[in-house]
Amino acid sequence: MTKVSIVIINGSLMKQLVKKALRLPAKAILASGYDVIQEYIATSPAVWFNPYLSAKVRPYRPEVETYIIRRDDVARPVTTGGDGSSLPIPPKERFIYPLSEEGFIASGKDNAGTIRRVAEASGFSFQTARRILDFGCADGRIIRWFHDLKDCEVWGVDLLGEYILLCQQYLSPPFKFATNTSEPHLPFEDRSFDLIYACSVFTHIADLADAWLLELRRILRPGGRLFITVHDDRSIEMCLDPEAVRRHPHLAPIRDTLLDLERQNPFVGTNYSMFTVFRAPGPGGHREAQVFYKTDYLKEHLASMFNVRSITLEAYSEFQSAYLLEKPASYAAGHPPVAVRS
Ligand SMILES: C[S@@+](CC[C@H](N)C(=O)[O-])C[C@H]1O[C@@H](n2cnc3c(N)ncnc32)[C@H](O)[C@@H]1O
């Protein structure tokens, strides 16, 4: 015989239990029903912020069971914005950064220009490149500036399914896109890319950053380049400079968190390797990981996996430095020589 227990809970207790179970931030509780569900499912503390779970997914509209993607939702072409292409610009409410259309176009041009300049200064040729990857492409702000590379397959991947769908709708063809998870694996063959760039991505990968670097090295060809932007000593200096914070108000919350951390446990003047706050992978809605490295440590650490070809300060929004890395040619044979320690 099945035993059934009936527990009667009054309304207010029920509300408290639901709130506790969901552990939603106050901001989300006050938001509309749809946003609450989106926010909760997309950043469920039990999953998204759990450091023990490595393969997290951010699917498009996780709260629905059925959805339709209509190709003709895309207004073609909206503005060309001076990028010399007829690629449509997504609606600005769907940009990952709160930018105007002009800002979206100008900042993408600037970032893509830096990638090109830095890579070319190391002897890299875009004319002979056959495959390029934008790791963490978000809304395609940067990838669109590679539309002139006619003989090159240009891919974008991101954790956020919603943005990959947006890119597939707006920018494919000519570009190709795929959603990945937070597990350090990408669905590409070994040695398939000539260049990978990751703008403001390693600034948000707290755990498993090394595994991601090694995964990107796996899919690079020997001699291929990896361009990453990171927070390093220069970024910390800027955070602590009131003039820089006035110029870039988005630095204020990071500065406050850094100062809090320093008050509790002084470390900035010590010999540390890295620190992170918030820890969740990628933009986590109301929180996202912010990762900072001590420059000396980072150089040494990256040199254990790559040839460090150059470091460019203030390369991305003035606040992040770019490290250009090269996969050593010794990987050509598939079995790189093992370093013998004396
Ligand atoms: C701050 S945004 C920058 C977006 C874009 N690179 C740009 O500069 O406009 C960081 C992006 O990296 C993505 N991201 C973070 N961790 C990732 C990972 N492990 N794999 C793929 N994308 C990731 C986020 O989802 C987000 O779209």
Side-chain angles (χ1 to χ4, degrees), residues 96-97 135-138 141-142 158-160 180 199-201 204-205 212 282-283 316:
I96 197 160
Y97 293 133
F135 177 61
C137 63
R141 193 178 57 89
I142 300 177
D158 203 286
L159 270 185
L160 305 176
N180 64 282
C199 290
S200 194
V201 180
H204 305 298
I205 299 183
W212 271 115
Y316 182 96

Side-chain angles (χ1 to χ4, degrees), residues 252-309:
I254 304 179
R255 182 231 14 231
D256 295 346
T257 312
L258 171 63
L259 291 177
D260 258 4
L261 205 60
E262 180 69 3
R263 259 191 298 275
Q264 290 163 28
N265 188 358
F267 69 99
V268 171
T270 69
N271 190 20
Y272 67 97
S273 325
M274 58 86 77
F275 72 92
T276 184
V277 291
F278 304 142
R279 203 169 181 185
H286 48 284
R287 296 192 289 183
E288 65 182 314
Q290 298 286 350
V291 180
F292 290 77
Y293 291 96
K294 193 153 180 64
T295 301
D296 285 348
Y297 164 78
L298 184 63
K299 280 196 290 202
E300 197 183 308
H301 188 58
L302 292 172
S304 69
M305 304 178 230
F306 295 93
N307 300 327
V308 180
R309 295 296 303 263

Side-chain angles (χ1 to χ4, degrees), residues 232-240 258 268 272 275 292:
D232 61 4
D233 290 357
R234 179 75 190 115
S235 321
I236 295 179
E237 262 169 41
M238 282 187 75
C239 255
L240 299 175
L258 171 63
V268 171
Y272 67 97
F275 72 92
F292 290 77

